[in-house]
Structures are given as structure tokens and as C-alpha cells.
Amino acid sequence: MGVATLKKINKKFLPNNYLFAPDWIILGVNNVCNLHCKMCDVGTKSLDSNFAQNLVGTHPINMPLPLIEKIIDQMVDSYPSSKLAYAFTEPLVYPHLEASLQYAKQKGVGTSITTNALTLRQKASIVSDTDIYISLDGPQDIHNEIRGHKKSFQKAVEGIEAVLAINPNATIGVFCVITEWNIGHLTEFLEFFKDYPLQQIGFMHSNYTEQRIADMHNEVWANSYPATASNMDEVNIDNFDLELLWDEIATIKSFSYNFPISFSPEIASKEKLYEFYHKPEIKIGKMCNDVFTNVMIKSDGSVIPSHGRCYNLELGNIYEKSLKQIWNSNVLSKFRSTLSKNGGLLPACSRCCSAF
């Protein structure tokens, strides 16, 4: 019996006693971002949401280098096969990026960086041998309008080219969140990158929580896993042209590119596309797998399940408990078990990327 099968059995029948190591340790290395994205609570300064609090709600602003080194040391001791992901809020402006990457490399810990790439050109030599995942929102003018920076797309492209000039075999993936502003421009976006040696381009349907879904969730879970609306401040679901989007998805899937194209989630019909955006009370996915693969460590050492979109549920703090103790903590075990007993997802999980 393979490891994947054993993991699946463990998740299904004994979620409160998970026996396997995390795949990823996700870092919230800082509490600042250098862009102002329209679909992000940090960008719109909707700072009371779980998402915003998980990204910018802790102090110090920058995770101290000794803390990252402590995390890396514990990964080597307890979870040597796990990888370290620099994901929030904007890793490329983190002052200890180079030193911490060098320490991870020295210790044999694999790393990845998720970035808006605004300063990638300046940091290209530092990250060229790290897996790089870049968040872009469409062709130049569309992206720049969404991000609130008139040259953000151009700077990202300069950064990609600078990395490839240093390391032609660099692992670079590009991800694009589908929004009301870029529908109808996704094919143009792909055409721009068609000759770049990318690992992949992934399109992500919007992750969001409407207030009514948060309210419905909190009727049951307010005392244990309180939810908030998120990523809705400047987003109007009614403005998503789903007819056009469905046609564009079909067009994209009919083309062939030099790199894989994915959609998350993969939606099988136009009816299901409407359901995703207009009936978020209906769960699309079956199970949050990320609670069995990830934890996120914030700049103050506190740890939450999965990543920034999850509930602001503190599992422990690296300054007080080891990574192994936190991964096997009663708080996380109970959360895994609660999810499993409730069909794999709670109401406010219905449009989180971890559900798909």
C-alpha cells in the first residue's frame, strides 16, 4: 500500500491523529505589501477580516532572522522532507530574505517564494535557484489597474527576464486570479507569455466570503471558528460576466501552449460556474486537504492552520512550542476532526482555495 493511500485512509478514519509530516511550512515573513490589489483585504484596507489579520495583524513587521533559523532547524530535525514557502505578505521586500534563503540552502531545506514580482529584477540573483510563483492579474493595463501601480506588470516581466538570464532553467509559475476586471482578457494574457519557458500558468477562480455566508457560519461556529466576510470590499460578483468567462475558458482549453494551463477549481459546466459565483452556500470541494499538509507561521511566531485564508485559530507559538508539538497539537487535531465530521468543510470554507 502506497504512502498516498495511507494518508488518505488516515485523513478519513483518524483525522484527529494524523501520522504524517507536513508538506509545507508557510511563512508570513512580513506585514507589509507594496501594492494595493482591488480584490485583497490588505490592498483595500479591510483590516478586520480574518484574511487581513492573518497577513498584517501581528508584530513585529518583519519576522526576526533568528526565528526563521529556528524554524529551519526544527524542520531539519523533525520534518526534513518538508519545504519552506515564503508566501505572505510580500516576501521580496523582507529584509532577511537573502540571509534566510542561504541558511535554508545550507541546511538542505527546499524553498519557494510567492510574490507580486514588483521588485523581482532587483532580487533576481537572490532567488534564481528558488521556485518562484508570481501573481499577475491579466495583460499590462488590466493588471496595473487592479494592482494600483502603473508599472507593476512591466516590472514583473523585467524580473522574470532577469531571473531567466541568470538561470535559464529557473522554475517560474504564474498565477492569475479571475476577477470582474480581467474576464475577457485571459487569452490575451496567455498569448503574452506563450514564448516564455514557464513551469505553468494557473487561473484561480476568486476566493471570497460573502457576509451572509459568514453570518450563516457564525450561527454555529462563532465561538470556536469565527468567520468574517473577506475579499469583497471592491468586488461585485454581479459584475462577473460569466457567459464571457465560460466561453473564454473553453477557448483557452482548446489551445496548446508550451506549458501546462490549469484552472482552480476545474468547473465542468456553465451551470456549475454560475453556482460557484452566485451560490457560495453550496460547497464545491469535498475536503480541506491543506490542514493535513500545511501550517502558516506569522511574524510573531504564532501558528495558524493551513495559510492566510484560514480561520485565525492559534495552534501555538514557535517561541513556546516546537514545530512538531504544534503539528500534533490538540487544537489542530480537533480542527481536523471537526472538519471531517462536518463533511470536510465548514460553511465559510466554501470558496477557499484549500477546498478544491
Side-chain angles (χ1 to χ4, degrees):
M1 190 177 295
V3 173
T5 301
L6 290 172
K7 287 182 177 181
K8 188 174 181 179
I9 292 171
N10 195 168
K11 292 175 189 175
K12 183 174 182 179
F13 294 105
L14 205 61
N16 62 327
N17 186 22
Y18 191 63
L19 302 175
F20 297 90
D23 295 336
W24 291 94
I25 303 301
I26 299 174
L27 299 179
V29 292
N30 56 18
N31 288 339
V32 293
C33 186
N34 48 9
L35 290 177
H36 304 282
C37 308
K38 289 185 177 183
M39 66 292 191
C40 172
D41 290 337
V42 177
T44 61
K45 299 192 182 304
S46 303
L47 302 182
D48 291 331
S49 72
N50 281 346
F51 182 63
Q53 285 297 306
N54 286 337
L55 267 59
V56 299
T58 56
H59 296 283
I61 291 175
N62 294 301
M63 181 179 285
L65 180 58
L67 178 55
I68 288 194
E69 292 176 341
K70 183 175 185 177
I71 293 165
I72 291 169
D73 288 341
Q74 292 189 15
M75 290 175 67
V76 172
D77 290 341
S78 300
Y79 303 119
S81 63
S82 302
K83 294 184 69 175
L84 192 66
Y86 294 67
F88 301 110
T89 295
E90 175 43 51
L92 293 191
V93 300
Y94 176 55
H96 306 303
L97 180 63
E98 183 173 11
S100 60
L101 284 173
Q102 288 177 346
Y103 191 79
K105 186 175 182 179
Q106 174 190 333
K107 295 289 185 174
V109 173
T111 55
S112 73
I113 291 177
T114 299
T115 175
N116 60 36
L118 187 65
T119 60
L120 181 57
R121 180 176 61 81
Q122 295 91 323
K123 303 296 175 66
S125 61
I126 297 173
V127 302
S128 60
D129 61 351
T130 298
D131 294 349
I132 304 170
Y133 302 111
I134 298 172
S135 175
L136 298 174
D137 296 321
Q140 178 177 302
D141 292 346
I142 300 294
H143 172 87
N144 291 345
E145 173 64 22
I146 293 172
R147 294 295 175 109
H149 190 295
K150 63 182 180 181
K151 293 258 179 117
S152 58
F153 185 88
Q154 298 93 309
K155 288 182 178 293
V157 172
E158 290 173 2
I160 292 170
E161 293 174 350
V163 170
L164 291 171
I166 297 168
N167 179 9
N169 297 313
T171 299
I172 302 175
V174 171
F175 292 86
C176 177
V177 176
I178 296 170
T179 65
E180 61 196 89
W181 306 287
N182 60 22
I183 292 172
H185 302 276
L186 305 181
T187 304
E188 179 187 349
F189 178 69
L190 281 174
E191 285 297 304
F192 179 90
F193 285 107
K194 66 180 181 181
D195 295 324
Y196 283 78
L198 300 177
Q199 181 194 44
Q200 64 174 313
I201 287 186
F203 292 102
M204 300 177 64
H205 289 283
S206 286
N207 295 168
Y208 66 98
T209 305
E210 293 183 355
Q211 186 62 55
R212 67 183 181 89
I213 300 299
D215 291 343
M216 180 175 70
H217 172 102
N218 288 333
E219 287 178 5
V220 178
W221 301 107
N223 292 327
S224 46
Y225 309 114
T228 65
S230 68
N231 301 322
M232 294 294 297
D233 196 50
E234 293 189 23
V235 172
N236 185 342
I237 297 298
D238 291 336
N239 290 338
F240 283 57
D241 188 335
L242 299 183
E243 291 285 334
L244 178 57
L245 175 57
W246 181 250
D247 290 343
E248 193 165 29
I249 290 172
T251 299
I252 288 170
K253 289 186 174 182
S254 72
F255 290 163
S256 178
Y257 291 90
N258 294 326
F259 41 75
I261 307 296
S262 64
F263 287 85
S264 178
E266 289 285 355
I267 295 178
S269 68
K270 189 189 298 184
E271 291 72 25
K272 287 293 183 182
L273 185 68
Y274 274 82
E275 183 177 286
F276 181 92
Y277 284 103
H278 291 293
K279 295 183 178 180
E281 66 275 11
I282 299 176
K283 298 170 185 174
I284 298 292
K286 294 182 178 179
M287 164 65 79
C288 174
N289 288 308
D290 280 3
V291 293
F292 296 98
T293 60
N294 312 335
V295 288
M296 175 179 159
I297 306 175
K298 303 184 194 181
S299 65
D300 64 352
S302 60
V303 185
I304 62 169
S306 190
H307 55 73
R309 296 193 185 281
C310 202
Y311 304 101
N312 198 348
L313 176 69
E314 185 166 333
L315 308 178
N317 193 296
I318 294 294
Y319 284 118
E320 301 165 356
K321 295 181 180 179
S322 70
L323 185 59
K324 188 171 184 178
Q325 287 174 317
I326 291 170
W327 181 246
N328 296 302
S329 69
N330 291 334
V331 178
L332 185 52
S333 294
K334 181 181 178 182
F335 185 46
R336 291 171 179 149
S337 182
T338 297
L339 288 170
S340 182
K341 290 176 181 177
N342 288 274
L345 300 167
L346 301 183
C349 303
S350 67
R351 294 299 178 266
C352 172
C353 55
S354 297
F356 314 136

